[in-house]
Amino acid sequence: MSNKLELTWVGKNEKINPEPRILLEDIEKSYGDPQTENMLIHGDNLLALKALESKYSNKIKCIYIDPPYNANATNVPFDDNIEHSFYLSLMKCRLEILVKLLKEDGVLCIQCDYNEMAYLKVLCDEIFGRNNYVTMVTVKTSSESGVKVNANKPAKVSEYILIYAKNKDKMVYKPIRIVTGYDKNYSQYIINPEDNYNEWQYANIKDILAQQLNKAKKDLKDEELRTFQIDNRDRVFSVRDISDSLKKYIKDNGIDKNIAYEYTTSTGKKTLLYKNGEIVFVKNKVYEIDGKLELTKIASDIWLDIPWDGIANEGGVTLKNSKKPEKLIQRIFEGFTDEEDLVLDSFLGSGTTCAVAMKMNRKCIGIELRRTMLFYE
Ligand SMILES: C[S@@+](CC[C@H](N)C(=O)[O-])C[C@H]1O[C@@H](n2cnc3c(N)ncnc32)[C@H](O)[C@@H]1O
């Protein structure tokens, strides 16, 4: 018995070593700038990856793959019922090449569902090293109201994205911001921000906005409040809780809680204390997203906000029951890539990954087995 912790299956150690092939350009289908490295490859991805191996090893910044979930789905246009050991062998030899293609600071993201997630996790631990496991994101892919009633188990509304780094110490992640609605915690408004903070006068944003719009507070819409927060981001704030020791400091020094008081922390950071808390302006949450100022929050490892409805025709391409929203891929690229980086999807399907890459000025290589998904004949 092997003395290391590993996943085993029938055929695991059988060598699958395809002959390297040469990629042939189909001149009729090529268009645009011949200097870009963008490529759509039609064929089995094992052969294609083997063909890419010598030129593209250590070149790819982000690989997103969305292989068949092996969920025995009959409503998808590809084989989704592969014998389990065979599925693992297929994935293993492809992942072994994919890891070589990644740059030292590159990442792999694999989308899957509950059927193979745990097996893919252990397989990737073995190939990337458990220490290079970054995280797993859970994505809500349908609404509870839209799922079919299944008497046997809770309805499936989620999928997973396993994220692995080639070398976690080198990987760079830029925190992803997601758009939120009106944030009721940011309810306070400074009437005279031009004055010194100890002369500030305060009001509730609902009182000010109701007055401005000449309507009752109860009739204010969340969208109106959200816009008000963004437009007044330098004077709308919330009072964040502070430590008990700071509360004691306020009490012991007889500081008036109703007047803003500047306090310098032990690290030299200046904060304004008010009402037994710290003033935090809403401007810290306002970011430009897709060219528009928005209220945002940092994305967690549960993505509930990406709309799946209405993506069937996104990009003018259909792929029944398997297509991923462009917003999802955009979020991954925002977090893990920069402009001009090279990205790859070896289970390209309808081409979502390449479409997003091109919109975001990333270079991309896409591989797909089924010709009908790649080309309009
Ligand atoms: C779940 S779909 C990917 C959907 C894609 N993310 C999108 O947004 O359209 C999986 C795709 O992998 C392709 N595929 C499966 N085995 C493959 C192989 N060995 N080589 C290349 N493509 C393969 C299937 O034809 C299918 O289009």
Side-chain angles (χ1 to χ4, degrees), residues 43-46 64 66-69 77-78 94 319 322-324 345-353 367-370 373:
D44 183 284
N45 51 19
L46 182 61
Y64 168 84
D66 175 29
Y69 293 174
F78 48 81
R94 285 157 177 80
L319 174 56
S322 305
K323 196 169 168 189
K324 301 299 174 290
D345 184 343
S346 53
F347 293 88
L348 189 66
S350 64
T352 313
T353 306
I367 308 168
E368 170 57 49
L369 187 60
R370 286 169 54 96
M373 299 206 188

Side-chain angles (χ1 to χ4, degrees), residues 178-180 223 226-234 282-283 285-296:
I178 57 178
V179 175
T180 59
E223 181 50 28
R226 189 189 76 93
T227 305
F228 184 83
Q229 288 180 322
I230 295 172
D231 292 346
N232 296 280
R233 55 196 175 279
D234 285 323
V282 77
K283 70 176 173 195
K285 292 169 61 89
V286 176
Y287 279 74
E288 193 179 310
I289 309 268
D290 295 335
K292 226 175 120 205
L293 286 181
E294 301 278 10
L295 275 190
T296 67

Side-chain angles (χ1 to χ4, degrees), residues 116-131:
E116 293 290 0
M117 186 276 284
Y119 289 91
L120 288 170
K121 164 77 177 68
V122 180
L123 183 58
C124 287
D125 278 351
E126 219 171 297
I127 294 169
F128 284 77
R130 198 164 138 85
N131 50 335

Side-chain angles (χ1 to χ4, degrees), residues 278-341:
E278 180 194 341
I279 290 183
V280 183
F281 286 98
V282 77
K283 70 176 173 195
N284 298 325
K285 292 169 61 89
V286 176
Y287 279 74
E288 193 179 310
I289 309 268
D290 295 335
K292 226 175 120 205
L293 286 181
E294 301 278 10
L295 275 190
T296 67
K297 62 178 179 187
I298 296 271
S300 71
D301 59 2
I302 303 185
W303 296 353
L304 302 172
D305 60 306
I306 296 181
W308 238 257
D309 293 338
I311 63 156
N313 286 317
E314 210 174 46
V317 197
T318 51
L319 174 56
K320 214 167 156 230
N321 296 316
S322 305
K323 196 169 168 189
K324 301 299 174 290
E326 292 192 5
K327 201 99 204 114
L328 176 84
I329 313 293
Q330 181 187 344
R331 186 164 293 177
I332 292 170
F333 289 169
E334 268 165 18
F336 294 103
T337 68
D338 292 300
E339 290 200 0
E340 296 301 316
D341 279 340

